[in-house]
Amino acid sequence: MKSIFFTTIVIVGLVFAACKQEKNKTEQIEKETTVEVKKPETTKTFQKKSLNQYMVGIWETSYIKIEYPTYQKSDTSHVFEDDFSKPNTGRAQSEYKKDGTFMAWFKQPNGSKVGETGGNWKTKGDSLYVDYTYLGKQVQTWYIITQTKEGFTGKVIYDWDDDKEFDDILLMKSKKLK
């Protein structure tokens, strides 16, 4: 009985020793084959401003994507995507003023504005809170804003399809015009 016990202990010890040796070999191989990659240095640095200062001005949305996981209460998902960079297409634009008000509109290819609406805005940390009326509906939501060299990327979860579920994810990219 004692010999079976000691044999088991020896076998378990050998297995652990073999595993440790294999681990050491693996670490050595990883060290020998690791290649250090350096990122190229950029010549321009991007200085972030407070979001409250950053938002003041005229903006143009260049891209928008809305993911509806349960489109209008169905079990089907839906994605709306629009790239406003195509020639001869309208442009979604907005102007944020220092006094906490903003105007938004859609600029047609001929230069006319349609769908104008206005509201209030404020910031807190990296969030942009907006309150406005659109198509007769009061919209109160907030976007998580990431400042970029060209403008910003905004993301929000909201009920964009009016199915009473706040599960629709909107992503937009905007660039500053003035």
Side-chain angles (χ1 to χ4, degrees):
M1 185 76 149
K2 287 183 179 180
S3 66
I4 294 174
F5 177 74
F6 287 117
T7 305
T8 305
I9 297 266
V10 170
I11 291 172
V12 170
L14 289 173
V15 169
F16 280 120
C19 288
K20 180 137 178 92
Q21 285 178 346
E22 185 62 31
K23 181 180 175 190
N24 289 341
K25 284 181 187 176
T26 303
E27 288 174 350
Q28 183 62 31
I29 291 169
E30 286 176 353
K31 284 179 184 176
E32 291 172 359
T33 59
T34 300
V35 177
E36 188 174 324
V37 178
K38 292 184 179 181
K39 293 182 181 179
E41 293 184 29
T42 56
T43 55
K44 291 183 180 179
T45 58
F46 174 64
Q47 185 70 30
K48 288 187 178 182
K49 295 180 181 179
S50 78
L51 188 56
N52 202 51
Q53 290 176 312
Y54 192 71
M55 290 307 301
V56 175
I58 299 176
W59 297 87
E60 182 172 277
T61 300
S62 55
Y63 174 80
I64 191 168
K65 178 180 180 180
I66 306 174
E67 297 177 30
Y68 305 92
T70 56
Y71 188 66
Q72 296 180 341
K73 288 252 186 231
S74 71
D75 62 355
T76 304
S77 64
H78 178 72
V79 175
F80 170 80
E81 202 167 7
D82 205 348
D83 181 353
F84 297 103
S85 65
K86 298 172 188 165
N88 296 321
T89 60
R91 307 276 193 244
Q93 296 181 338
S94 56
E95 180 177 13
Y96 290 82
K97 297 181 181 177
K98 287 181 184 179
D99 68 0
T101 62
F102 78 97
M103 292 293 298
W105 60 89
F106 197 74
K107 188 173 181 182
Q108 299 286 29
N110 67 6
S112 65
K113 292 180 182 180
V114 296
E116 286 185 87
T117 188
N120 297 306
W121 70 279
K122 64 181 178 179
T123 64
K124 183 175 182 182
D126 65 352
S127 297
L128 169 65
Y129 297 84
V130 292
D131 182 1
Y132 62 97
T133 304
Y134 182 71
L135 298 175
K137 177 182 168 187
Q138 192 65 31
V139 177
Q140 294 177 321
T141 191
W142 65 92
Y143 295 82
I144 301 298
I145 301 295
T146 303
Q147 296 179 29
T148 65
K149 288 180 184 178
E150 300 80 28
F152 69 85
T153 300
K155 186 174 181 179
V156 63
I157 298 175
Y158 193 73
D159 179 21
W160 296 110
D161 61 354
D162 291 324
D163 67 356
K164 308 292 186 252
E165 298 289 333
F166 284 78
D167 61 351
D168 308 321
I169 303 166
L170 180 143
L171 173 72
M172 73 173 170
K173 295 179 183 178
S174 294
K175 62 181 180 179
K176 196 162 201 169
L177 298 179
K178 294 182 188 176

